[in-house]
Amino acid sequence: MYISDLHLTQFRNYAEARLSFCQGINCLVGPNGSGKTNLLDAIHFLAFTRGFRSSQDKMAMQDGEEFFFNGGTLYRQGAKQEVYVNFVKGKGKKVLVNQKQVDKMSDHIGKIPLVAVLPNDTDLINGAAADRRRFLDMLISQYDPNYLRHLIAYERVISQRNALLRLFSETGRFDRDQLEIWNSQLIPHGMGIYEGRRQFLEAFMPFFETFFRDIVSEKEVPSIRYRSQIEENTHDNWLALLAQAEEKDRVMLHSGTGIHRDDLNFRIDDYSARNYGSQGQQKTFIIALKLAQYRLLERQTGVPPILLLDDIFDKLDEFRLSSIAQLLDEEIEGQIFITDTSYERLSAIFSSTTRREKVFFEVENGTTRQINTGSQE
């Protein structure tokens, strides 16, 4: 999978931009605030119909304007795709693939496999459990449409169940039969999500451990532990847990039991990566996590995803930098986009890698200029 051309109009700090990329490693260099990350965000829009910088589409539109346009020419296993994301103030967003409008945004997820490594990804370690669940859900949904259907339905049922709990409180009347109707709808979707997450971790861990070891050798041993209230994923066990939590749910006015409370525990040498990991260790953990995500997506879809790497080289020592550059050159088959503030640093990092084509772009104040083209040897 790769994107050959990108066309932006009134998107973030780009009034108008047209860029052509190589299939290998595309390096975007320039000072902070110049628009490097905005280009990655535009590519993310094409894959997920939204950016990673804000959940509000209007925030991607330039101040004072009425619309933005984001278009890309992509190739998936030789088949050309023209993908357009168009947002008009007051009318909303449209996504078109080969001139045909996508009716449901969820149907587009997974059509363009993509993995992004971002500076705030350390929130996966230091942030709330919701961040880690979102990581799981976005990843699995890219290759398992059935999981995505379960997820959408589960969130809808939880919302309705919570509304019912609030209604009971407001009216002072409790109807267990009504609550059990929502319980019966919740359980099959919860069971499907739990099983999807369990199977994901089983397939994911070998890739993660390998990439982590390749970056830092065997000096440190990482682990990921899945924490869930659901110890036995059966219908009867779900019923028992929901019944046990019923009284507390009525007091708290929301559903406190289910897979929406799941979490991942990240550890290095059996110590909490959150409490004891240095900045370099945490960053290494995240990079290995995302490269494993890349490899799993590649295996599940049969298509090498696009890889976005935004300002990842800060806080890493020379050994880890060299290891990561070698992995990107030798192990990643898909197209790569990397941002950095220094052309010299990126050039030095990739100076010993020769397998893949590399192209450098200078980005400044919403304009781009190709400054160097490497050739595949």
Side-chain angles (χ1 to χ4, degrees):
M1 190 91 212
Y2 71 95
I3 176 171
S4 63
D5 298 280
L6 183 68
H7 177 198
L8 303 177
T9 302
Q10 296 171 182
F11 182 87
R12 298 204 181 277
N13 69 329
Y14 289 90
E16 186 76 22
R18 293 179 182 272
L19 298 94
S20 296
F21 303 114
C22 76
Q23 296 183 42
I25 301 175
N26 297 272
C27 300
L28 310 170
V29 297
N32 291 327
S34 60
K36 304 185 302 296
T37 300
N38 290 341
L39 292 175
L40 302 192
D41 199 44
I43 296 169
H44 194 277
F45 253 102
L46 298 178
F48 294 104
T49 76
R50 63 180 180 83
F52 53 72
R53 308 197 74 175
S54 172
S55 59
Q56 297 184 8
D57 297 321
K58 64 181 181 181
M59 298 301 293
M61 185 170 57
Q62 288 194 320
D63 290 342
E65 301 296 344
E66 298 296 317
F67 76 96
F68 75 72
F69 172 83
N70 178 3
T73 302
L74 300 100
Y75 291 85
R76 176 171 176 149
Q77 296 176 319
K80 182 179 179 180
Q81 295 182 8
E82 297 284 351
V83 181
Y84 302 147
V85 181
N86 186 45
F87 177 81
V88 179
K89 189 175 181 180
K91 295 184 179 180
K93 175 174 59 182
K94 289 184 180 180
V95 177
L96 293 90
V97 178
N98 294 333
Q99 305 298 324
K100 184 178 180 181
Q101 184 172 337
V102 176
D103 294 325
K104 292 173 61 179
M105 300 300 175
S106 60
D107 290 342
H108 184 66
I109 305 302
K111 302 297 184 183
I112 303 174
L114 181 145
V115 175
V117 188
L118 310 170
N120 63 357
D121 278 339
T122 50
D123 288 348
L124 287 173
I125 294 174
N126 300 312
D131 296 321
R132 293 178 283 278
R133 287 194 299 272
R134 192 176 301 113
F135 164 75
L136 282 173
D137 293 339
M138 286 188 65
L139 198 169
I140 302 171
S141 295
Q142 285 195 71
Y143 65 81
D144 187 347
N146 194 46
Y147 180 92
L148 181 57
R149 285 191 289 270
H150 278 308
L151 190 65
I152 293 171
Y154 184 92
E155 291 175 350
R156 175 184 58 81
V157 175
I158 279 289
S159 178
Q160 295 292 338
R161 190 178 189 273
N162 289 343
L164 183 63
L165 289 168
R166 292 192 296 270
L167 181 63
F168 290 157
S169 177
E170 292 167 2
T171 62
R173 297 180 59 186
F174 175 68
D175 187 335
R176 181 170 285 108
D177 290 340
Q178 286 191 55
L179 190 64
E180 289 180 350
I181 289 173
W182 291 112
N183 289 350
S184 67
Q185 294 186 42
L186 186 74
I187 290 172
H189 298 301
M191 291 179 66
I193 294 168
Y194 178 94
E195 182 61 20
R197 291 175 178 175
R198 187 196 65 78
Q199 291 180 2
F200 156 76
L201 281 173
E202 187 176 296
F204 181 82
M205 284 306 298
F207 297 135
F208 170 68
E209 291 167 354
T210 298
F211 277 119
F212 191 94
R213 185 168 56 248
D214 287 344
I215 295 172
V216 299
S217 74
E218 297 183 1
K219 296 178 182 178
E220 301 168 358
V221 180
S223 64
I224 301 175
R225 299 176 184 175
Y226 182 31
R227 298 170 58 185
S228 179
Q229 298 168 328
I230 314 302
E231 296 181 0
E232 186 179 354
N233 193 33
T234 65
H235 188 273
D236 289 346
N237 187 49
W238 272 83
L239 278 177
L241 287 171
L242 289 171
Q244 182 180 344
E246 181 183 288
E247 191 60 36
K248 185 176 181 180
D249 287 353
R250 290 178 60 187
V251 173
M252 301 302 293
L253 305 183
H254 68 263
S255 306
T257 296
I259 52 84
H260 58 290
R261 310 290 291 181
D262 288 356
D263 199 359
L264 297 174
N265 187 356
F266 297 145
R267 307 184 74 81
I268 301 174
D269 291 337
D270 210 30
Y271 291 98
S272 167
R274 178 177 191 165
N275 297 329
Y276 298 100
S278 67
Q279 286 183 309
Q281 285 177 313
Q282 289 188 359
K283 200 156 194 176
T284 300
F285 196 101
I286 292 299
I287 292 171
L289 196 75
K290 291 304 188 81
L291 291 179
Q293 174 184 350
Y294 181 97
R295 181 67 80 233
L296 182 63
L297 266 180
E298 182 180 34
R299 295 292 175 88
Q300 293 286 354
T301 64
V303 177
I306 295 171
L307 180 61
L308 311 180
L309 302 164
D310 188 23
D311 190 26
I312 68 165
F313 294 122
D314 190 32
K315 309 296 184 185
L316 296 177
D317 57 45
E318 284 191 20
F319 178 80
R320 297 183 194 220
L321 289 174
S322 176
S323 298
I324 292 169
Q326 186 173 353
L327 284 173
L328 295 178
D329 188 62
E330 298 179 359
E331 297 292 334
I332 303 302
E333 293 298 328
Q335 188 180 33
I336 299 172
F337 292 85
I338 303 176
T339 70
D340 200 274
T341 56
S342 170
Y343 169 77
E344 289 74 18
R345 175 162 54 187
L346 278 189
S347 297
I349 288 171
F350 288 107
S351 62
S352 61
T353 61
T354 59
R355 188 178 72 91
R356 307 203 64 190
E357 180 184 9
K358 303 169 191 69
V359 176
F360 285 77
F361 297 87
E362 181 181 55
V363 182
E364 186 173 2
N365 296 326
T367 63
T368 61
R369 179 176 66 91
Q370 186 172 324
I371 56 176
N372 175 281
T373 302
S375 59
Q376 186 175 353
E377 298 183 358

